[in-house]
Amino acid sequence: DGGITQSPKYLFRKEGQNVTLSCEQNLNHDAMYWYRQDPGQGLRLIYYSQIVNDFQKGDIAEGYSVSREKKESFPLTVTSAQKNPTAFYLCASSMAGGGRTEAFFGQGTRLTVV
Amino acid sequence: DQQVKQNSPSLSVQEGRISILNCDYTNSMFDYFLWYKKYPAEGPTFLISISSIKDKNEDGRFTVFLNKSAKHLSLHIVPSQPGDSAVYFCAASDKGGNTGKLIFGQGTTLQVKP
């Protein structure tokens, strides 16, 4: 089945530690995205990538880093510089360009700082 | 600056009646709009979309209306069912879909009462 997979579903991090969230897709999509959801704030864009080896900052990139070494994979690292990392993180992918920009989402990773 | 706004955090309707969810946007460059449905602890799923060249798009019980002059769109669900209870996000695509980047509203929680 084609889809987008995030792992793990739940993640606990101690303060001061970096942690990496995995996102893999087999939809052959060029574009991939990371969003963060907080209560009452909707989905806010962290980073996005339109093509392998290229990515751009979204609205709230501070304290996060990404890589796009393969078309299928777009891991997100939450660094110790992120002041309030506890949130629900969503990865998405879409076809780039073409005007039809429906994005498909993974099931999310809930990160909790303990 | 919130470019996509859903001003009603919640909506409650009776089963069988119409649900109307509203969304406003400020960026006149947006030309593709989408609605997503989200259950707790899951990723959003795509519902319906509309291009700016149209003013209405219908898919079964779901209809999206676009009023470009007012920069307003709405999602109508008729008839509403208890399974429709979820958070609904409005999203807009900028730059004609060439980037595929989606900007989301804050979401509206719909409760359909049996």
Side-chain angles (χ1 to χ4, degrees):
Chain A
D1 278 9
I4 183 164
T5 302
Q6 290 185 242
S7 61
K9 191 169 178 66
Y10 300 95
L11 189 56
F12 297 88
R13 188 195 91 174
K14 292 183 179 180
E15 284 196 31
Q17 284 183 338
N18 292 355
V19 64
T20 297
L21 284 60
S22 170
C23 179
E24 303 279 332
Q25 56 96 1
N26 60 4
L27 299 167
N28 201 32
H29 285 166
D30 291 303
M32 297 187 74
Y33 315 85
W34 275 104
Y35 289 88
R36 167 180 171 145
Q37 185 188 15
D38 295 282
Q41 295 200 47
L43 278 64
R44 293 184 291 168
L45 184 63
I46 304 172
Y47 268 98
Y48 64 105
S49 168
Q50 297 295 307
I51 196 170
V52 174
N53 292 323
D54 188 41
F55 47 83
Q56 288 79 42
K57 292 182 178 180
D59 300 320
I60 55 166
E62 185 176 352
Y64 299 97
S65 66
V66 293
S67 63
R68 187 83 188 277
E69 297 177 0
K70 297 186 301 181
K71 186 176 184 178
E72 302 79 18
S73 179
F74 192 40
L76 173 74
T77 297
V78 184
T79 75
S80 57
Q82 169 51 234
K83 300 303 180 189
N84 185 22
T86 295
F88 190 56
Y89 290 87
L90 287 158
C91 180
S93 69
S94 72
M95 294 188 298
R100 185 172 184 270
T101 55
E102 172 191 340
F104 294 84
F105 283 83
Q107 291 299 295
T109 293
R110 180 162 297 281
L111 173 64
T112 303
V113 174
V114 296
Chain B
D1 180 28
Q2 190 80 27
Q3 297 186 71
V4 179
K5 300 179 182 180
Q6 294 175 257
N7 293 317
S8 298
S10 62
L11 174 68
S12 181
V13 300
Q14 206 66 35
E15 180 179 7
R17 304 297 290 270
I18 184 171
S19 296
I20 300 176
L21 296 96
N22 294 302
C23 179
D24 297 296
Y25 61 96
T26 58
N27 189 340
S28 58
M29 293 299 291
F30 288 151
D31 66 352
Y32 193 70
F33 304 89
L34 307 91
W35 284 94
Y36 282 82
K37 177 180 179 180
K38 185 182 180 302
Y39 294 115
E42 293 184 8
T45 54
F46 170 74
L47 265 180
I48 192 169
S49 63
I50 188 167
S51 165
S52 61
I53 62 174
K54 296 185 176 181
D55 55 16
K56 176 183 175 181
N57 189 27
E58 189 173 356
D59 184 1
R61 296 186 297 115
F62 302 92
T63 302
V64 57
F65 295 92
L66 175 63
N67 182 336
K68 290 186 290 296
S69 61
K71 294 191 177 65
H72 176 84
L73 65 156
S74 61
L75 174 68
H76 293 209
I77 306 173
V78 182
S80 301
Q81 300 173 354
D84 295 330
S85 298
V87 180
Y88 288 79
F89 289 99
C90 166
S93 176
D94 64 348
K95 297 183 182 178
N98 288 332
T99 68
K101 187 172 70 171
L102 291 176
I103 309 298
F104 284 83
Q106 308 95 310
T108 296
T109 300
L110 172 65
Q111 182 185 28
V112 180
K113 298 179 180 178

